[in-house]
């Protein structure tokens, strides 16, 4: 009699833990993407891979860094093979060109391993946004 309740409780904890892992992975991916963009790397194309770009002697792109971070998560890549990732990036501050910012959002469709009817839907969107100031090079003779 206690076993079904205990089993549902354990499955709920596991599902919630995997969801938190997916949220953390998307959050880390958007941070890395914004950081890559602030240092001047190109945005590239969705589906790029930073690892293959580095192996070919090219600089990694923003999308390559984000895609590698998300595909590196075992649970996300196992649950989401071929699932598209949506990106949005806003670059620049028209009123003050010395204070340019990059604002980036990454959204992923997440499918829980163990969906629980009426508690945990079969598909959710995980979206994270991050903003960082563009790093300009130091003027000649400047020190850090």
């Amino acid at each position: 009699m206690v076993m079904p309740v205990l089993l549902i409780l354990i499955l709920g904890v596991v599902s919630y833990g995997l969801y938190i892992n997916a949220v953390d992975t998307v959050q880390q991916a958007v941070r890395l993407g914004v950081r890559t963009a602030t240092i001047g790397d190109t945005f590239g194309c969705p589906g790029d891979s930073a690892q293959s770009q580095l192996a070919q002697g090219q600089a990694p792109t923003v999308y390559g860094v984000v895609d590698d971070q998300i595909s590196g998560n075992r649970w996300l890549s196992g649950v989401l093979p071929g699932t598209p990732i949506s990106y949005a990036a806003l670059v620049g501050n028209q009123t003050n060109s010395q204070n340019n910012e990059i604002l980036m959002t990454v959204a992923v469709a997440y499918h829980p391993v163990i969906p629980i009817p009426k508690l945990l839907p079969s598909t959710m969107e995980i979206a994270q946004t991050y903003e960082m100031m563009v790093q300009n090079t130091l003027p000649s003779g400047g020190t850090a």
Side-chain angles (χ1 to χ4, degrees):
M1 190 156 147
V2 175
M3 185 67 148
V5 173
L6 185 61
L7 186 61
I8 288 173
L9 182 65
I10 290 172
L11 289 176
V13 168
V14 168
S15 289
Y16 187 67
L18 292 174
Y19 171 75
I20 295 298
N21 181 355
V23 169
D24 186 53
T25 299
V26 173
Q27 188 175 46
Q28 183 66 18
V30 75
R31 282 187 197 144
L32 287 173
V34 168
R35 175 70 179 133
T36 303
T38 61
I39 61 174
D41 288 346
T42 60
F43 281 93
C45 299
D48 286 350
S49 171
Q51 291 177 350
S52 65
Q53 289 166 338
L54 288 171
Q56 295 170 1
Q58 301 170 347
T61 61
V62 174
Y63 290 143
V65 170
V66 172
D67 285 348
D68 282 358
Q69 181 68 28
I70 289 175
S71 65
N73 182 314
R74 186 175 133 211
W75 294 106
L76 270 178
S77 61
V79 174
L80 302 170
T83 300
I85 304 165
S86 63
Y87 308 92
L90 173 64
V91 182
N93 179 347
Q94 293 178 354
T95 59
N96 182 0
S97 63
Q98 295 297 317
N99 191 19
N100 287 335
E101 302 269 331
I102 293 183
L103 177 69
M104 185 173 192
T105 299
V106 175
V108 175
Y110 176 70
H111 306 283
V113 175
I114 308 165
I116 300 172
K118 298 189 181 187
L119 291 177
L120 192 58
S122 61
T123 302
M124 295 180 274
E125 181 182 90
I126 299 173
Q128 294 290 321
T129 301
Y130 201 72
E131 182 176 7
M132 187 178 284
M133 187 185 324
V134 173
Q135 295 187 4
N136 297 322
T137 58
L138 289 173
S140 61
T143 58

